[in-house]
Amino acid sequence: MSVKSTTLANVPVLRPLLPAADRLLPYLRRIDDARVYSNWGPLTSEFEQRLEQALQLKQGCAVSASSGTAALVASILAVAGRATPQRRLAIMPSFTFVATAVAAEQCGYQPFLVDVDAGDWMLHPHELAKHAARNDVGVVIPVAPFGRAVPQAPWKSFRDRTDIPVVIDAAAGYEVLERDPSATLGEVPVCVSFHATKSFAIGEGGCVLSRDAQVVRKATRALNFGFVESRDSRSASINGKLSEYHAAVGLAEFDCWVQKKTAFAEVSTGLRQRFTAAGLAHRFVGAPDVASCYSLFVCADLGEADAIQRALAATGVDHRFWYGLGLHRQTHLREAARGPLPNTDALAPRIIGLPMAVDLSSDAMDRIVAAVKGGIADAG
Ligand SMILES: *Cc1c(COP(=O)(O)O)cnc(C)c1O
């Protein structure tokens, strides 16, 4: 490979772009006038209404949260409550971001890590038959890998059949929910993150979505000290409310969302065209299959993954393993109970997160694809 050129700037793995200050100003002035700063003030309520409209949900089927993790905690508390000695486990895929486990632990559950499907990288209810037969499972948390769509129907029937509550972690999934709400939204609560690194981003934030307004009401209570319409704490809870300031960013993000989606799509298309020209189209995974904020390359084996990482580093292109090597490789979760994880172990070190940004330049795209191609040649 060529020696690292000192004249080229590094290509960061993700360079988020949120609404500029000028776009926020009209909303901030509304906050100044109303002097309401939190507790579902006017901006937060408007933001939730815009979410409901965008996702074709009835009123009362979306509640905002201070983060995707807070949304997960509130959903778990809403449908499963805190863990008990008889229901002490939370089943989740090992192939996810650590927040899935963090949220379950916050509710007192011990994570039980299971494998994902080798084809679509997610958990399926039929594969859970043997785990769910355990009588110590309190909740199951399927994850939308990189925002890929998790269908509602199989999980609703799993829940109905087993009586085990389900919460879907679709933290990066806002775009696929918007594209196909009828298949991806239902009674089983779906949690979304609006973290700066996600496609629809407001800095820190999230939401809980469910067609069962009762579930959303319980999640709302769990996000606000267990209060509902009185200052009597009625359930296990946290303070997970979205502030009016973050709702201002959310409203401004909605104002620019069509342009942002278009910009993301152009970059995804640009990368896909280059990988196609390099004969590598089948190994590139990007929007619309996964969320627009991800550009993934699936390596053939560990040797190739090493060579590609070296080639990227040599030309100053950053990369990231978004889910690490699986939850079971995180120090804190090393001792977590788990089933066999052959697919996670085989996938996690081979799915390289490449740079993505709404304004990724043609030059950067050329460099990324050239480095991947060079790495493959080196691994030859
Ligand atoms: C981003 C993410 C989260 C956490 O969302 P925050 O808003 O950062 O709390 C949870 N799960 C998955 C799969 C994620 O990608």
Side-chain angles (χ1 to χ4, degrees):
M1 276 304 299
S2 57
V3 174
K4 178 169 176 173
S5 162
T6 48
T7 55
L8 289 175
N10 251 49
V11 182
V13 76
L14 190 77
R15 206 155 164 245
L17 185 64
L18 272 66
D22 287 343
R23 295 261 187 190
L24 300 182
L25 205 53
Y27 293 110
L28 298 180
R29 296 230 191 281
R30 277 176 55 189
I31 298 175
D32 290 347
D33 290 343
R35 292 177 64 180
V36 176
Y37 306 101
S38 183
N39 294 60
W40 291 285
L43 274 70
T44 307
S45 301
E46 190 178 324
F47 179 58
E48 290 174 351
Q49 278 163 24
R50 287 186 77 165
L51 282 172
E52 285 163 352
Q53 275 162 18
L55 298 168
Q56 299 170 36
L57 287 168
K58 293 209 178 88
Q59 203 189 337
C61 291
V63 64
S64 57
S66 57
S67 68
T69 306
L72 281 166
V73 169
S75 296
I76 295 167
L77 293 177
V79 298
R82 289 189 59 80
T84 65
Q86 293 75 39
R87 301 181 304 102
R88 59 190 179 81
L89 299 180
I91 292 187
M92 67 192 69
S94 187
F95 191 55
T96 181
F97 181 60
V98 70
T100 318
V102 167
E105 284 195 326
Q106 285 296 306
C107 303
Y109 292 92
Q110 294 165 22
F112 186 97
L113 310 177
V114 296
D115 212 4
V116 290
D117 183 86
D120 63 14
W121 310 342
M122 65 177 76
L123 192 62
H124 293 279
H126 60 86
E127 287 152 18
L128 276 187
K130 60 181 182 295
H131 300 297
R134 310 174 59 114
N135 51 19
D136 44 8
V137 177
V139 64
V140 176
I141 314 176
V143 175
F146 307 104
R148 183 174 273 164
V150 173
Q152 269 276 320
W155 286 109
K156 164 141 180 1
S157 69
F158 169 88
R159 186 203 66 180
D160 293 347
R161 203 170 59 244
T162 60
D163 251 346
I164 298 172
V166 177
V167 169
I168 296 175
D169 177 351
Y174 179 74
E175 291 160 291
V176 305
L177 302 177
E178 199 183 61
R179 209 176 307 129
D180 194 4
S182 61
T184 55
L185 293 171
E187 287 173 29
V188 175
V190 174
C191 303
V192 179
S193 164
F194 302 130
H195 185 257
T197 52
K198 306 299 204 255
S199 308
F200 186 101
I202 71 171
E204 291 278 4
C207 68
V208 177
L209 309 164
S210 170
R211 293 192 197 281
D212 181 347
Q214 187 64 28
V215 167
V216 174
R217 222 175 351 255
K218 284 186 181 168
T220 308
R221 185 173 70 185
L223 288 166
N224 188 31
F225 306 107
F227 293 166
V228 57
E229 286 161 9
S230 84
R231 290 180 64 81
D232 177 31
S233 181
R234 295 181 187 202
S235 63
S237 65
I238 55 171
N239 174 9
K241 300 185 295 293
L242 191 77
S243 84
E244 288 285 280
Y245 289 100
H246 281 91
V249 184
L251 291 167
E253 180 78 344
F254 264 124
D255 296 341
C256 321
W257 180 225
V258 172
Q259 287 134 273
K260 190 175 188 181
K261 275 195 288 195
T262 308
F264 262 138
E266 277 166 16
V267 175
S268 288
T269 303
L271 282 166
R272 186 169 284 109
Q273 280 167 349
R274 285 165 174 80
F275 277 115
T276 304
L280 296 169
H282 56 296
R283 306 239 242 127
F284 170 72
V285 179
D289 177 11
V290 294
S292 297
C293 53
Y294 297 111
S295 158
L296 308 168
F297 189 80
V298 184
C299 304
D301 52 44
L302 293 184
E304 188 185 276
D306 276 346
I308 291 174
Q309 287 176 77
R310 277 198 303 274
L312 290 167
T315 101
V317 174
D318 292 344
H319 70 277
R320 186 173 297 173
F321 290 92
W322 288 102
Y323 297 160
L325 296 177
L327 294 186
H328 60 298
R329 309 278 180 188
Q330 299 280 336
T331 303
H332 176 62
L333 295 163
R334 245 179 352 214
E335 309 292 327
R338 57 171 129 141
L341 301 168
N343 295 338
T344 305
D345 281 332
L347 285 169
R350 288 193 297 119
I351 302 177
I352 297 185
L354 297 171
M356 187 65 197
V358 284
D359 53 354
L360 195 69
S361 68
S362 308
D363 277 359
M365 291 190 238
D366 290 342
R367 265 165 76 191
I368 292 163
V369 177
V372 170
K373 212 175 151 184
I376 293 172
D378 292 347

